[in-house]
Amino acid sequence: TVAPYRPLAANVATNNVAAMAADASSLHAFYKAMLALRNTRSSIARGSVEATLASGAVLSFQRVLGGERTVVLVNYGMSATTAVVNALPANANLTAAYPAGGALVATADASGSATVNVGAQSVLVLDVTP
């Protein structure tokens, strides 16, 4: 019964919450996936932040709580790159928690270092198992 303070956008038919909810590659889907990770991984929700590093266009950090360790890598760059993740348990396996959960991404060497491929403008969340 009240006039809106501004008119609807011209793209309202395609750019709206219902359309985003139906699109697996939308920002809505990304936020839902991140919230699901926070709700299922205690290290993300309540863990300490360790091994933070900004190198070029890549930001990385680890969240640790008890025996659970999660590595987060964010590539802000326009091209894919490799990132070195240090301070891992020796010979630990890094598996994808996001995206495509479960796939082995890398294995740390005996000194706790691993090289990870990170796509352009992407986020990787990795589960670390010793």
Side-chain angles (χ1 to χ4, degrees), residues 11-46:
N11 61 1
V12 69
T14 57
N15 292 4
N16 58 63
V17 174
M20 287 181 127
D23 181 0
S25 64
S26 71
L27 186 60
H28 179 268
F30 174 75
Y31 280 127
K32 282 184 69 171
M34 293 299 107
L35 288 169
L37 280 173
R38 184 193 65 192
N39 292 334
T40 58
R41 298 196 57 81
S42 301
S43 59
I44 292 175
R46 298 183 310 277

Side-chain angles (χ1 to χ4, degrees), residues 10 48 90 100 122:
S48 61
S122 67

